[in-house]
Amino acid sequence: MRNTGLDFLTSKKPNGSTWKLSLHSLAVAAVATCGATVAEASDEVFNEAYRVSSSGNAALLDQYQYAMQDSVLSYYPEYWKLNQNLALQPSSSIVSFAKRYPQSAMAEKLSADYVEEKVRAGDFASASPVVGYVSNADEAEACAVAQVRARTGDPLVLAEFKNKVWLTTDSQPESCVGLARIMLDSPLMTQKDQQQRLFAMLRAGNSGHAFALANKMGMPLSLAQMNQISANPINYLWSAPKATAQDHAYLIFALGRLADSDLNNAISMVDRLAQGVPEDVQKYLYRTVAYIGGTTVLKNNFNAILPSYFDKSYGYPFSPEEAEIYARQSIRFGKWEGVIRAVDAMTDQQKQESRWQYWLARATEQRGDSKSKSYAQQVYQRIATQDDYHGLLAKARLNQAYTSFPQPYQPSSSDYSRLAKDVHFQRAFALRNIDAPDNYVNREWNWAVRQAYLQHDDGLILAAAKRANDMGWYDRAIYAADRTEKKHNYNLRYPTPYQSTVVNYSNSVSINPAWAYGLMRQESRFNVGARSHVGAGGLMQIMPDTARLVAKQMGEPYNSGALSNMNTNIRYGTYYLSMIQGQLSGHPVVATAGYNAGPNRARRWQPDVQKIDADQYAESVPILETRDYVKHVMENAMHYGVVLGQGNQSINRLMYPVPQQY
């Protein structure tokens, strides 16, 4: 490495004293002691540069950038420097970075963050040259980009976000709220669109947005009146007027507030309130009670009347979120015609999802006639070609089982050669090798996989996955192997580290090792050091309180450090899974839900009167995280049954009818 004369860097130690670092000496020492290449020595500088990246010392970062010039990580000091005062940077600096490091992870992040910053400041002109460099936007970033496009001459972008933003009442990023404000003034939003959003805002109790939209529509509302209604909705509803459009708005608002605080009272009043109002208002009053009841199951439990209220609201347009709640409530109670209507009310994009195709087939075959059954069989056959949760459910409906995976693709020398030259994967492995912070490591890895996926290069993805797997970097190996299109390697998708430990402890507490593996894969991707934001730790992500309970049950002292031990974590996790399975009717699906959301919740979600099919139970779980968790664990468990040589695999082995609470 050349000596620039900038031989020593001075900065502060954590204790406040100063230290000096010779970058040239650091690189030489690294090469001498580790036998590393110059590039690898340059990689090592990353962690030192990262430690001072928030110091605001641009000159120091310039020196680190020079020291890292031979590293694939050399763009990081410049990224950190630009990011320090991002809102003050000219767009030309961001564009220059993106052009010099094309299609890179940090160019993507810098560009997306810059657009968001400029949108917050209302500086759409500065953001405009940068939006073209944002290619993988999350929800907030996508709304920011859409705002820029709309404000700089592309109003048609608003139509793309109508279902995602205009009709959404769930919590949204501020950039999406801002996009909705732009839509408010757009001629693309028809009077019917405006009424649908107004009704949704009133139902959700979003008085500010409802007030602004109502004024725009020429039917001004009173915030004082809305505040008074919120304080005592039932008192207002006893004598609510129904003569004007404003009266109808206040009626929906009041019923929404009552349903949110006292669902049973809202149910008892809705029939009376629906009398003597226009048909669209009548339908939306029923929609209001049905939707709020369907989204407050954690507070109110399931209520069998809600699907019928959705039925009564049919004919008034559904938003995507309303249609899904309609479907789930109908699935829960086996109201199959309601399921068909709900799917029919979804967007074309929703309808094409395998989950709703599966449920449409499930509902259609209940009609019993040969045409309906034939249609359902055709849908199942199409979905059964997939190996995900709904594909496995479809296989079971067709009475198909499987005992093996397709022949695994083994990466070729050409695949490994492309891997060695791929700068995105080089960055990910370099960061991993120097124990860089996980957020940087994972961002580079995920970006590298995405770029290979966009190039349809399964061989490159699997070469990277194999190398990561061989390093014991299981979580990223799985992430990569899961994303191939035509060439697959299920050994990399479903690895079995610690196999004798998992099998022995599972067998000792009489649970299926494939189920334990399926849960572990979902919990931690076999990262022993995994920690969740709520404090769960280790391979099976055990909460400290749960570990204390298990230790007590097992008659041993609790040691918080033990959860970081592979052996103890698996022993405690399998024991706890077996324990709650025993508490939850012995049912693996209910126990899986209980492992994630708590056994008391999982028990409350069991039916009150008679058993229901396990797929109905899983789909009606009211917490999105837990609902997806159950599906993934069931899918994993089936595939691990093959890995462990357990013979014919059908998801019905785990997903049999769920009994009523006891």
Side-chain angles (χ1 to χ4, degrees):
M1 184 183 295
R2 296 189 304 275
N3 191 335
T4 66
L6 301 173
D7 215 338
F8 288 92
L9 303 179
T10 302
S11 186
K12 293 285 185 180
K13 292 182 180 180
N15 63 10
S17 61
T18 60
W19 51 261
K20 288 186 177 181
L21 170 67
S22 167
L23 295 174
H24 181 70
S25 299
L26 174 64
V28 172
V31 172
T33 58
C34 303
T37 66
V38 171
E40 288 170 341
S42 298
D43 294 347
E44 293 287 349
V45 180
F46 173 93
N47 285 322
E48 293 297 340
Y50 171 67
R51 291 187 186 99
V52 301
S53 62
S54 59
S55 67
N57 191 330
L60 187 59
L61 286 174
D62 283 340
Q63 295 178 55
Y64 275 117
Q65 185 177 351
Y66 186 86
M68 295 173 66
Q69 63 182 304
D70 295 313
S71 170
V72 291
L73 308 177
S74 61
Y75 71 170
Y76 273 98
E78 184 178 357
Y79 164 78
W80 289 321
K81 187 170 65 171
L82 288 170
N83 200 50
Q84 283 174 351
N85 297 295
L86 187 58
L88 301 179
Q89 301 292 343
S91 59
S92 58
S93 295
I94 310 303
V95 170
S96 174
F97 186 90
K99 285 182 175 179
R100 283 181 289 113
Y101 306 105
Q103 299 177 325
S104 64
M106 301 318 293
E108 166 78 13
K109 178 163 175 55
L110 186 70
S111 300
D113 289 347
Y114 183 79
V115 170
E116 285 195 274
E117 287 281 356
K118 288 301 182 180
V119 166
R120 275 193 286 270
D123 185 0
F124 301 102
S126 293
S128 183
V130 180
V131 295
Y133 297 96
V134 181
S135 62
N136 189 36
D138 62 20
E139 181 185 12
E141 294 161 356
C143 286
V145 168
Q147 281 199 57
V148 176
R149 290 173 58 190
R151 293 292 195 190
T152 56
D154 183 12
L156 294 180
V157 70
L158 300 179
E160 300 174 22
F161 284 79
K162 177 182 173 183
N163 287 322
K164 297 176 183 176
V165 172
W166 182 252
L167 300 178
T168 296
T169 57
D170 289 342
S171 177
Q172 297 184 86
E174 179 56 36
S175 59
C176 295
V177 175
L179 185 59
R181 285 195 290 266
I182 296 176
M183 291 180 175
L184 186 63
D185 296 321
S186 170
L188 292 175
M189 299 298 113
T190 67
Q191 186 175 9
K192 191 67 176 178
D193 292 331
Q194 291 178 342
Q195 185 199 63
Q196 191 177 0
R197 177 171 170 83
L198 175 63
F199 283 3
M201 294 298 108
L202 291 166
R203 181 198 71 210
N206 196 329
S207 55
H209 287 276
F211 176 81
L213 181 52
N215 281 336
K216 178 75 176 177
M217 295 171 65
M219 47 170 290
L221 301 177
S222 165
L223 283 175
Q225 173 77 313
M226 297 173 84
N227 289 336
Q228 187 177 3
I229 290 171
S230 290
N232 195 343
I234 195 168
N235 185 60
Y236 176 82
L237 289 170
W238 279 120
S239 56
K242 303 178 181 179
T244 68
Q246 283 94 335
D247 291 340
H248 303 151
Y250 291 135
L251 195 63
I252 294 170
F253 180 76
L255 185 59
R257 297 307 83 225
L258 179 61
D260 190 60
S261 60
D262 188 347
L263 181 63
N264 289 331
N265 243 329
I267 289 172
S268 71
M269 297 185 73
V270 65
D271 285 333
R272 180 179 65 82
L273 296 173
Q275 296 173 7
V277 297
E279 183 179 17
D280 57 351
V281 177
Q282 181 184 87
K283 289 181 181 298
Y284 211 85
L285 289 171
Y286 284 112
R287 175 81 53 83
T288 294
V289 177
Y291 181 82
I292 292 177
T295 54
T296 57
V297 172
L298 288 178
K299 179 169 65 174
N300 296 302
N301 295 323
F302 292 99
N303 194 310
I305 201 170
L306 298 181
S308 68
Y309 285 177
F310 272 120
D311 291 343
K312 289 181 178 182
S313 81
Y314 192 76
Y316 191 87
F318 281 81
S319 70
E321 61 189 17
E322 289 170 348
E324 291 200 6
I325 296 299
Y326 183 13
R328 288 199 177 92
Q329 290 297 304
S330 299
I331 287 167
R332 172 71 186 196
F333 295 102
K335 302 297 183 181
W336 301 113
E337 291 300 315
V339 175
I340 294 171
R341 284 190 289 270
V343 175
D344 181 64
M346 292 178 179
T347 65
D348 289 341
Q349 183 177 356
Q350 284 175 297
K351 290 176 183 177
Q352 295 309 310
E353 294 177 20
S354 60
R355 57 176 167 162
W356 300 123
Q357 285 287 297
Y358 170 79
W359 283 110
L360 181 60
R362 278 276 274 129
T364 302
E365 71 178 341
Q366 306 301 318
R367 288 176 167 172
D369 61 276
S370 58
K371 183 177 180 181
S372 296
K373 289 186 175 181
S374 175
Y375 169 80
Q377 291 290 303
Q378 291 173 22
V379 174
Y380 291 145
Q381 288 168 3
R382 184 171 67 250
I383 300 173
T385 60
Q386 305 168 15
D387 60 5
D388 62 4
Y389 170 78
H390 292 99
L392 295 174
L393 287 177
K395 281 185 173 68
R397 303 299 297 184
L398 296 169
N399 295 316
Q400 295 178 2
Y402 69 111
T403 59
S404 62
F405 297 134
Q407 184 69 26
Y409 177 81
Q410 300 299 336
S412 66
S413 58
S414 174
D415 296 328
Y416 284 115
S417 177
R418 292 197 307 285
L419 177 63
K421 298 173 184 176
D422 187 280
V423 67
H424 308 299
F425 280 115
Q426 285 179 30
R427 289 184 181 127
F429 281 114
L431 288 168
R432 167 76 175 185
N433 290 339
I434 61 173
D435 293 323
D438 286 343
N439 59 318
Y440 287 102
V441 181
N442 292 342
R443 180 182 294 277
E444 291 284 5
W445 179 268
N446 297 353
W447 183 262
V449 172
R450 181 175 187 270
Q451 297 311 298
Y453 174 82
L454 293 174
Q455 295 298 318
H456 308 289
D457 195 341
D458 289 347
L460 173 59
I461 292 173
L462 290 175
K466 180 65 165 63
R467 181 177 170 190
N469 183 82
D470 291 347
M471 295 166 57
W473 196 12
Y474 299 114
D475 61 331
R476 293 305 92 189
I478 292 169
Y479 180 90
D482 264 346
R483 282 157 179 78
T484 54
E485 297 177 285
K486 295 180 179 179
K487 301 173 183 176
H488 307 297
N489 188 317
Y490 283 81
N491 296 324
L492 296 174
R493 286 190 185 186
Y494 298 97
T496 54
Y498 328 113
Q499 183 170 338
S500 62
T501 302
V502 174
V503 171
N504 289 339
Y505 283 135
S506 296
N507 288 338
S508 71
V509 292
S510 301
I511 65 170
N512 187 338
W515 180 29
Y517 259 123
L519 185 141
M520 196 182 307
R521 182 184 189 271
Q522 188 60 26
E523 286 286 357
S524 68
R525 293 289 197 272
F526 308 107
N527 179 358
V528 175
R531 288 290 181 275
S532 78
H533 68 282
V534 295
L539 292 167
M540 299 191 75
Q541 288 292 280
I542 303 171
M543 292 291 290
D545 286 347
T546 300
R548 289 188 186 91
L549 173 64
V550 171
K552 182 178 180 181
Q553 292 283 328
M554 299 181 78
E556 62 186 50
Y558 169 69
N559 177 359
S560 60
L563 290 183
S564 300
N565 177 274
M566 175 274 291
N567 190 294
T568 302
N569 198 283
I570 295 173
R571 184 163 60 92
Y572 279 17
T574 51
Y575 184 94
Y576 180 64
L577 186 58
S578 174
M579 184 176 78
I580 63 173
Q581 182 183 21
Q583 297 170 0
L584 297 171
S585 308
H587 203 293
V589 172
V590 185
T592 300
Y595 196 96
N596 180 262
N600 290 332
R601 281 178 172 171
R603 183 182 296 107
R604 287 201 306 271
W605 299 335
Q606 290 182 246
D608 292 326
V609 180
Q610 59 185 16
K611 64 185 179 182
I612 61 173
D613 287 342
D615 59 352
Q616 290 174 262
Y617 175 92
E619 191 60 55
S620 60
V621 165
I623 301 175
L624 173 61
E625 176 192 331
T626 305
R627 185 165 62 247
D628 287 346
Y629 178 88
V630 170
K631 294 177 182 180
H632 286 308
V633 171
M634 294 298 103
E635 173 189 330
N636 293 345
M638 287 300 97
H639 294 319
Y640 272 112
V642 173
V643 173
L644 297 176
Q646 295 181 349
N648 285 342
Q649 296 299 304
S650 169
I651 203 165
N652 285 345
R653 292 177 59 188
L654 295 175
M655 299 195 67
Y656 47 86
V658 174
Q660 65 192 77
Q661 302 175 32
Y662 63 88

